[in-house]
Amino acid sequence: MNEIKAVCIEKLSKPRQDMEKSNAMWNKRAREFRKLSSSAGDGGVFDLFKARAELKGRSVIDVGCGAGRYLKKLLDEGALAEGLEPSVEMGREARDFISQSGYDGAAVTIYNVAFQDFAPGKKYDYVFISNSPVISYYENYPRIIDLARKGIFISSWLRIEDLFLEKVAAGLGRTPHTHGGCDIVYFLNLLLADGYYPDFWTSVKRREERVDSENFYLRYASWLYGPEYGEKELDRVKKEIDKHLGDDKKVAVSSTNVMGVLYLDLLK
């Protein structure tokens, strides 16, 4: 087990994330994520969490809360929820989304800081993390565990297969770099090596549908050109995507995405 732990530590021992570059990209994509907060489902991810956690009246920190999608769900369950989001524009969209959902957005605490620099001075009953790069850095591993009293919930893409993205990438001569990978598996094995017994699931989501092309402009620009993409790169992506428009002004999407989900009950 010590050998496995050493491998996992090595895989997650990366240079610190460049938060300036990261925040610049997420600031540009904040409106896109606000739209997703209002419309997209999550494949039952949140249901897995609330089935295992006593949320009403409990403190929860949503690490990487983005535009407030899960923060709102936590409030709906009666949790004393707070968010952590380093992107200023994401935090602004989250507050507005919370307000539009009937809550006092100004009264909901959202810490505008990177997790590496987060110093709350308290523990939370639960730590909730969905598709956040905080799990990809070993320096965050002990801090995540130390932040929770009752439980830790993590969901993260293990694999994303997007045939439409591959078409666009081929047209532009680029190699896409999507979210997802084995980092949640490394995190899982670190927990096992340290004597914890987390539950772990995988969920496969297949998608075949026609979608408005504008849903992909910013996402694909970031996946194809990285966080520093500019208007020139975005325009290239738009033109390439729009080559695939049908008579309905939509594009055909075919994807298979695999989600990893982890829950650690710290009271067992």
Side-chain angles (χ1 to χ4, degrees):
M1 186 60 80
N2 286 335
E3 291 180 4
I4 294 175
K5 182 175 181 178
V7 170
C8 293
I9 291 174
E10 180 183 358
K11 292 292 186 180
L12 298 181
S13 294
K14 307 166 185 173
R16 269 202 166 200
Q17 187 179 13
D18 188 326
M19 295 309 301
E20 185 175 347
K21 289 182 181 179
S22 176
N23 288 341
M25 180 189 70
W26 292 119
N27 284 340
K28 286 184 283 190
R29 295 185 64 189
R31 290 282 180 89
E32 170 196 354
F33 271 73
R34 166 64 184 279
K35 183 178 179 180
L36 289 174
S37 295
S38 304
S39 61
D42 69 353
V45 167
F46 190 75
D47 287 339
L48 283 172
F49 178 48
K50 73 178 186 179
R52 286 156 180 79
E54 293 180 26
L55 293 177
K56 188 172 183 178
R58 303 296 184 181
S59 59
V60 186
I61 180 73
D62 181 356
V63 178
C65 69
R69 177 186 191 181
Y70 289 113
L71 194 55
K72 187 259 184 185
K73 290 179 180 288
L74 289 166
L75 293 170
D76 287 346
E77 295 298 320
L80 306 176
E82 298 179 356
L84 186 150
E85 176 51 58
S87 162
V88 172
E89 291 301 321
M90 280 286 200
R92 184 175 289 117
E93 293 292 346
R95 291 185 191 283
D96 188 60
F97 177 56
I98 294 297
S99 297
Q100 293 295 320
S101 302
Y103 297 98
D104 183 355
V108 176
T109 299
I110 299 177
Y111 299 97
N112 184 220
V113 64
F115 184 75
Q116 297 93 320
D117 303 316
F118 183 46
K122 65 178 180 181
K123 286 179 175 282
Y124 293 84
D125 291 315
Y126 299 100
V127 172
F128 180 91
I129 305 172
S130 180
N131 290 321
S132 170
V134 300
I135 67 165
S136 299
Y137 298 85
Y138 180 68
E139 67 174 304
N140 294 334
Y141 170 74
R143 302 185 72 244
I144 290 170
I145 295 173
D146 190 55
L147 197 55
R149 279 192 293 260
K150 293 178 176 289
I152 298 170
F153 181 90
I154 300 172
S155 64
S156 181
W157 293 115
L158 283 167
R159 188 171 183 178
I160 295 177
E161 295 180 357
D162 185 333
L163 297 183
F164 182 55
L165 172 62
E166 292 176 13
K167 287 182 182 179
V168 174
L172 292 170
R174 304 288 299 181
T175 300
H177 298 280
T178 62
H179 292 296
C182 292
D183 290 346
I184 190 173
V185 178
Y186 301 139
F187 200 98
L188 167 67
N189 279 283
L190 285 174
L191 290 172
L192 291 170
D194 287 340
Y196 296 102
Y197 299 97
D199 295 322
F200 188 80
W201 307 266
T202 56
S203 172
V204 180
K205 181 179 180 181
R206 293 182 174 86
R207 184 184 186 193
E208 297 272 354
E209 59 183 319
R210 299 191 65 80
V211 183
D212 289 336
S213 60
E214 64 181 22
N215 290 354
F216 301 99
Y217 294 154
L218 296 175
R219 186 188 317 172
Y220 282 10
S222 67
W223 287 355
L224 291 167
Y225 290 98
E228 294 182 284
Y229 74 87
E231 289 300 321
K232 183 191 302 183
E233 291 78 16
L234 180 59
D235 188 58
R236 288 175 186 162
V237 171
K238 287 180 178 179
K239 289 178 179 178
E240 188 62 34
I241 287 175
D242 288 349
K243 289 179 183 178
H244 301 275
L245 287 173
D247 293 338
D248 58 358
K249 302 301 181 183
K250 295 183 178 183
V251 294
V253 175
S254 177
S255 63
T256 300
N257 300 332
V258 184
M259 175 77 78
V261 182
L262 179 157
Y263 180 70
L264 175 62
D265 187 340
L266 291 168
L267 300 182
K268 283 186 177 179

